[in-house]
């Protein structure tokens, strides 16, 4: 599929099952406004659903496109032979200087304003020199970031030519290693259309795919399309050498072509009825919220997605994928949800994809939500319930304490009473679409006017709390409470069973001014903060130490085996871990709707407790009894204490049999034998 270099030249292959004629257009250079040569493909160049031709004398760097002829589909859309189309398998794209999105609509030719596919090598990534880190799910901590926004600022310390690029990100890997994360999850770096946005705005996040194979040119240093794949490999190699895995956010559920009135850029003009879910009348069926939905249940579409995944995993070295609105890919004809989606079965069976980390959003815009029963063996899911319930508890909502307990133990209430397997639940408090951690404790409502949609865009239900003042303030008490709440949320996240994910900049208090949908903001509003006087260095230190403590306490906090809540019997393993729940009094948890306090302890056999964690989201201080410890208690964390003392380098010995928790704070006690080094 696509274009491949042969000993004689280049072979071109395109799947267009209902076309009756195809033209291959060869261009002399990226910005050419007309084709230098047109090669017509007739039935002699067709094998089944594929149209193909080998052209001698060509090599890497050749620019090309297609015109595809055939009957219009019901609804009057589909084949538009006036349009030059991108090869869906193109591994590089050129022509950005002349490209106009509007020219791909209507009936007029767009040859002078089209994008071109570029013939590329298909070399494999050098895994011998840069092997995959292969962190277990037990030890994994994901850091979600946007490549462009991470190093765009002038004060990022990155060379001007590399700011906002993959190479710019390489220079910041020591920062990420120092923080203590094990994987970065990149917002889409597959080629997307900046022009797919309202007038005067750019599509910055990239959830508008133009190609599932080509890297986005905006993240590449220089303008050579052939260097794009090499720069991806450079980043992945540097990450592997640093012990960091690279996960890609991929958008296979829809494309940038939108609904029937959208541009004809690639898929629509090649096999409209094949790629997109449509009604009998030709109306697009949309569960993506973006105008169209990919029919991943169909064999040719499925193979294209699998080929894309192999391209990024085998040729470019990527370690895993996060599927945007991934549950949409489980829908069959007429959008019927399938219990055995063909795409997911194929992914599970593909040996080239067998050692990848796979994560998905378990919801789509059509109302489908499958978390514990996500229909794939190896694909974990973003746990949106974790985000909502942790925010609700620390905000002080009623009916939140029981939910907190469920999330801490691995969400058994969502899985027939059994904790979700570690690789099934990615826990998070914040993500790219929503408030940052700092804004979550500073704003009651979104402030998205800068997006140009009269504040209509973005989520309205954020479970946020400004703590008395909307936005930045000078009240020292409010500032202190906000800082404490950030620590409460981060500590709750990292002490819970599952795979934690952090959002870019949360570690230094990055704010977006209350904007919870910066998808079109390539501005300081969405850029990473680097200036020392604008970064919360105390928060960075706290999170850094918290991540270290989590690594040291993995066997307690995130073991591969779910922890029992039944006390051991005579003859049981004397080292078996088991859990108890408490309120302010031992073994008396208060699960009532009005409760705002909870504690839990882990015990090692009959020796005593080795870990105790107390949560108090009440507006008053509370005093909690401590269970007998296996060895002397040490206070590891107290979020009510001043910075530096809240998680000190050395835990404080604790001899009383109870501990005070200030209002809206949490405390972690560890037995001496389990203290982090």
């Amino acid at each position: 599929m696509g274009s491949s270099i042969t000993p004689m030249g280049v072979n071109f292959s395109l799947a267009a099952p209902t076309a009756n004629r195809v033209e291959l257009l060869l261009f002399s250079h990226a910005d050419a406004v007309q084709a230098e040569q047109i090669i017509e493909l007739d039935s002699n160049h067709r094998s089944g659903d594929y149209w193909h031709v080998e052209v001698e004398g060509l090599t890497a760097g050749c620019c090309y496109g297609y015109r595809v002829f055939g009957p219009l589909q019901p609804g009057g859309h589909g084949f538009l032979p006036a349009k030059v189309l991108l090869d869906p398998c193109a591994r590089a794209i050129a022509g950005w200087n002349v490209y106009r999105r509007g020219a791909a609509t209507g009936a007029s030719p767009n040859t002078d304003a089209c994008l071109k596919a570029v013939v590329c090598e298909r070399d494999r990534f050098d895994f011998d020199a840069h092997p995959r880190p292969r962190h277990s799910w037990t030890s994994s901590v994901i850091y979600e970031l946007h490549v462009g926004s991470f190093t765009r600022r002038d004060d990022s310390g990155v060379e001007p030519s590399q700011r906002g690029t993959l190479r710019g990100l390489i220079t910041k890997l020591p920062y990420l290693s120092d923080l203590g994360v094990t994987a970065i999850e990149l917002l889409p770096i597959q080629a997307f259309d900046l022009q797919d946005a309202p007038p005067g705005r750019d599509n910055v996040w990239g959830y508008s795919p133009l190609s599932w194979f080509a890297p986005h040119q905006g993240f590449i240093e220089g303008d050579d399309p052939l260097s794009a794949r090499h720069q991806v490999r450079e980043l992945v190699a540097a990450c592997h050498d640093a012990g960091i895995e690279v996960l890609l956010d991929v958008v296979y559920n829809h494309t940038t072509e939108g609904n029937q009135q959208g541009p004809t850029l690639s898929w629509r003009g090649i096999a409209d009825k094949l790629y997109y879910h449509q009604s009998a009348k030709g109306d697009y069926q949309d569960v993506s919220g973006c105008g169209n939905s990919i029919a991943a249940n169909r064999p040719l579409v499925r193979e294209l997605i699998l080929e894309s995944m192999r391209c990024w995993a085998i040729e470019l070295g990527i370690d895993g994928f996060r599927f945007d609105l991934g549950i949409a890919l489980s829908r069959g004809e007429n959008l019927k949800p399938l219990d055995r989606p063909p795409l997911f079965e194929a992914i599970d069976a593909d040996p080239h994809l067998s050692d990848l980390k796979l994560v998905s959003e378990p919801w789509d815009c059509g109302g489908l939500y499958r978390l514990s029963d996500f229909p794939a063996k190896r694909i974990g899911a973003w746990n949106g319930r974790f985000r909502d319930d942790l925010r609700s508890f620390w905000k002080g909502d009623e009916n939140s304490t029981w939910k907190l307990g469920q999330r801490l133990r691995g969400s058994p209430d969502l899985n027939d009473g059994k904790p979700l397997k570690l690789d099934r639940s990615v826990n998070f408090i914040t993500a790219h679409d929503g408030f940052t951690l700092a804004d979550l404790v500073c704003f009651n409502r979104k402030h998205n006017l800068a997006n140009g949609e009269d504040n209509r865009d973005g989520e309205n239900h954020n479970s946020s709390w400004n703590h008395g003042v909307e936005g930045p303030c000078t009240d020292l008490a409010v500032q202190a409470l906000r800082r404490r709440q950030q620590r409460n949320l981060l500590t709750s996240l990292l002490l819970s069973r599952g795979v934690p994910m952090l959002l870019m900049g949360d570690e230094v208090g990055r704010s977006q001014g209350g904007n919870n949908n910066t998808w079109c903001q390539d501005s300081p509003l969405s850029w990473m903060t680097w200036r020392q006087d604008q970064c919360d260095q105390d928060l960075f230190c706290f999170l850094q130490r918290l991540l270290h403590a989590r690594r040291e306490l993995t066997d307690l906090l995130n073991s591969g085996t779910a922890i029992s809540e039944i006390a051991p019997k005579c003859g049981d393993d004397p080292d078996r871990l088991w859990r108890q729940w408490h309120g302010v009094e031992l073994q008396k948890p208060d699960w009532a709707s009005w409760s705002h306090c909870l504690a839990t302890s882990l015990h090692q056999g009959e020796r005593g407790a080795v870990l105790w964690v107390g949560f108090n989201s009440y507006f008053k201080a509370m005093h909690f009894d401590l269970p007998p410890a296996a060895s002397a208690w040490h206070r590891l964390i107290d979020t009510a204490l001043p910075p530096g003392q809240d998680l000190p380098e050395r835990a404080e010995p604790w001899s009383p049999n109870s501990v005070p928790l200030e209002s809206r704070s949490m405390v972690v006690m560890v037995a001496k034998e389990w203290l982090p080094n």
Side-chain angles (χ1 to χ4, degrees), residues 196-522:
D196 189 0
R201 304 288 189 276
D202 287 334
N203 190 314
V204 176
W205 279 354
Y207 292 92
S208 182
L210 187 62
S211 168
W212 292 333
F213 291 79
H216 182 60
Q217 192 64 34
F219 298 148
I220 305 304
E221 182 182 15
D223 56 7
D224 179 7
L226 290 181
S227 72
R229 286 163 55 84
H230 295 301
Q231 292 186 36
V232 173
R233 292 187 182 110
E234 288 175 11
L235 170 64
V236 175
C239 286
H240 286 185
D241 294 347
I244 296 175
E245 294 174 310
V246 184
L247 314 182
L248 291 193
D249 197 336
V250 287
V251 187
Y252 294 130
N253 66 84
H254 73 276
T255 76
T256 189
E257 292 184 312
N259 59 21
Q260 291 95 318
Q261 285 71 49
T264 298
L265 297 166
S266 179
W267 301 271
R268 172 179 290 135
I270 295 169
D272 176 66
K273 195 71 172 177
L274 167 69
Y275 285 112
Y276 298 121
H277 284 294
Q278 298 175 32
S279 70
K281 295 181 179 179
D283 295 326
Y284 276 29
Q285 298 171 317
D286 177 19
V287 294
S288 70
C290 297
N292 63 62
S293 295
I294 289 291
N297 57 302
R298 298 168 185 164
L300 289 177
V301 184
R302 181 167 69 247
E303 182 56 33
L304 185 67
I305 294 173
L306 290 168
E307 180 72 6
S308 166
M309 294 177 66
R310 297 183 197 112
C311 167
W312 287 93
I314 304 304
E315 298 174 20
L316 303 180
I318 296 301
D319 301 296
F321 300 95
R322 178 264 192 189
F323 301 105
D324 175 67
L325 300 183
I327 197 63
L329 301 173
S330 73
R331 292 182 181 268
E333 298 306 316
N334 296 314
L335 300 179
K336 179 182 178 181
L338 304 176
D339 288 329
R340 299 179 62 182
L343 174 62
F344 294 154
E345 287 192 331
I347 291 173
D348 287 338
D350 194 315
H352 295 291
L353 308 177
S354 61
D355 62 346
L356 302 182
K357 282 188 166 69
L358 303 175
V359 178
S360 176
E361 282 182 315
W363 54 79
D364 65 18
C365 295
L368 190 58
Y369 196 138
R370 300 183 68 176
L371 176 58
S372 63
D373 63 339
F374 194 89
K377 294 178 181 178
R378 294 182 43 244
I379 301 179
W382 272 22
N383 192 338
R385 289 285 298 275
F386 184 96
R387 170 200 60 206
D388 299 341
D389 293 339
L390 267 290
R391 289 183 180 189
S392 179
F393 175 81
W394 286 113
K395 183 168 169 274
D397 291 343
E398 291 192 348
N399 296 298
S400 60
T401 300
W402 183 82
K403 294 176 182 177
L404 170 68
Q406 295 297 310
R407 303 303 151 249
L408 291 173
R409 72 220 296 192
S411 299
D413 60 320
L414 307 180
N415 191 41
D416 296 327
K418 299 178 181 178
L420 293 167
K421 294 181 179 179
L422 287 180
D423 60 354
R424 299 294 289 194
S425 181
V426 173
N427 301 332
F428 61 104
I429 302 294
T430 55
H432 65 276
D433 50 348
F435 282 139
T436 66
L437 183 65
D439 288 351
L440 187 67
V441 299
C442 290
F443 295 92
N444 281 351
R445 59 188 184 276
K446 65 185 182 183
H447 295 264
N448 295 358
L449 287 174
N451 297 349
E453 298 183 48
D454 295 326
N455 213 39
R456 294 188 305 271
D457 64 306
E459 179 59 55
N460 292 314
H461 306 288
N462 297 285
S463 291
S464 61
W465 180 30
N466 64 18
H467 297 85
V469 180
E470 187 74 357
C473 76
T474 57
D475 188 310
L476 296 181
V478 172
Q479 290 180 4
L481 183 53
R482 288 173 172 177
R483 288 194 295 268
R484 187 187 306 173
Q485 290 282 52
Q486 291 180 70
R487 286 157 174 75
N488 291 336
L489 289 160
L490 288 171
T491 306
S492 302
L493 169 65
L494 288 165
L495 297 188
S496 297
R497 179 177 173 80
V499 180
M501 184 184 76
L502 303 166
L503 173 63
M504 175 186 88
D506 277 355
E507 72 277 11
V508 292
R510 183 179 72 91
S511 171
Q512 295 178 167
N515 192 317
N516 72 351
N517 189 35
T518 58
W519 73 280
C520 59
Q521 295 292 335
D522 188 9

Side-chain angles (χ1 to χ4, degrees), residues 26 38 57 79 115 126 133 203 211 213-214 281 343 346 352 436 442 513 521 544 569 572 587 597 666:
L26 303 179
I38 300 176
F79 293 109
L115 293 170
D126 189 351
N203 190 314
S211 168
F213 291 79
K281 295 181 179 179
L343 174 62
H352 295 291
T436 66
C442 290
Q521 295 292 335
Q544 185 182 46
K569 299 178 182 178
D572 286 351
Q587 300 184 50
C597 298
M666 63 181 295

